Amino acid sequence: MAPDTVSLRYFLVLAQELNFTRAAARIGVAQPALSARMRRLEAELGTALLVRTTRSVVLTTAGAALAESAPSALAALDRAWDTARSAAAGELGTLRIGYSLSTGAETAPALVDRLMRDHHGLEVGAVPMATPEISPAVADGRIDAGITRGEQPGRDVHRFLLRRQRVGVQLAQHHPLAEHQEIEIADAAAYPLRLPDRAANPVIHDQLSAIFLDIRPRPRFHTPAVCFDMSQRDLRDGVTLAPAGEAAATAQPAGLTWRPLRGAPSLTIHLVLPREPSPLHRRVRAVATTLARELHWLPTRQVPPLRSEAAHRPSGSARQASSRTK
């Protein structure tokens, strides 16, 4: 049986001092207790480590060998303990994050960058996914966390409100409405409105279309053939508008701009984690909470900690939620 590490650490101090009185004082134990530990250590090893006289302490050959080899062994053991503690605290491991394309312009990169910068022991991989697939992938363990726009349905997950964004429209810089700092909903509804494909993201499609629910005559909605066109070609006609969150303003193609819609409800971005979180999941949530506070993604009262949303809502609640203003 290997000796306990406390006795080894005591022995190393004694090997440096070669004096029981000084070693005991340095360690902070009584001298008889130190002597008893050394006798027990020798008994466990089955050999003498020290030659004691009334005037001195001398290391035996075995004692000298142990004094030379023990420090590196104890340092390796300390590293093993630290590694275990870091893993238990969620600071080590491989983290797989799935994110919807609409969160990839700003939110997802900010969270991934903070995780990698602050936790060098974490290997973080992030991949864009179809929005309806993210919550099921978190629930069954294919990914560890997800970032979605809107309260996407899903069982066996917890959603945490990560960010609120104003809703506006993307439009060409030469569009007549681009002259306004804010656009009235009714004014925007007079033009063709491009919405995301409902099959790709029913929650956001319904939230955005609900903004214009009371407008008469009904706006002209259309869905582009390309579900996510970075060039936004259909907006360059100077007529079509695309309802979108304010994150769109940070990554505008040349010739386009973004304007908020007056009185429109906010869009939300959520962090999705398993219902039974591991230390790694709790670490992600803690980092996300800090980031939301520092970047003012949420009102201060909502930030610490991120608020958990219901894991499943009955059909129709998305539209009701979207009709509430911030």
Side-chain angles (χ1 to χ4, degrees), residues 173-236:
Q173 291 177 346
H174 63 275
H175 194 288
L177 294 181
E179 299 178 0
H180 303 279
Q181 291 302 309
E182 282 190 318
I183 298 175
E184 298 291 340
I185 294 174
D187 291 341
Y191 294 89
L193 298 173
R194 187 195 72 192
L195 292 179
D197 184 3
R198 193 177 191 282
N201 194 335
V203 172
I204 293 302
H205 178 97
D206 290 350
Q207 285 183 336
L208 292 176
S209 61
I211 294 173
F212 305 93
L213 190 63
D214 298 327
I215 300 298
R216 296 291 184 274
R218 292 284 290 160
R220 291 167 289 166
F221 295 122
H222 76 92
T223 300
V226 179
C227 65
F228 196 79
D229 182 2
M230 293 296 292
S231 69
Q232 311 283 23
R233 286 170 295 181
D234 56 338
L235 304 184
R236 298 178 185 277

Side-chain angles (χ1 to χ4, degrees), residues 107 159-166 246 266-271 285 288-309 326:
T107 308
R159 290 188 299 271
F160 300 96
L161 181 61
L162 180 61
R163 188 172 187 177
R164 287 191 181 276
Q165 293 184 329
R166 292 181 300 168
E246 61 186 309
S266 61
L267 291 178
T268 58
I269 292 177
H270 296 260
L271 175 68
R285 183 184 175 189
T289 298
T290 300
L291 198 63
R293 179 176 61 249
E294 292 179 357
L295 299 183
H296 309 290
W297 284 352
L298 292 172
T300 303
R301 62 182 177 82
Q302 288 184 301
V303 176
L306 292 184
R307 180 170 60 87
S308 174
E309 302 289 341
K326 181 168 64 174

Side-chain angles (χ1 to χ4, degrees), residues 10 20-21 24-25 29-40:
Y10 284 10
F20 273 89
T21 302
V29 299
Q31 182 176 328
L34 177 59
S35 298
R37 272 198 177 270
M38 292 304 98
R39 287 193 297 271
R40 186 163 64 249

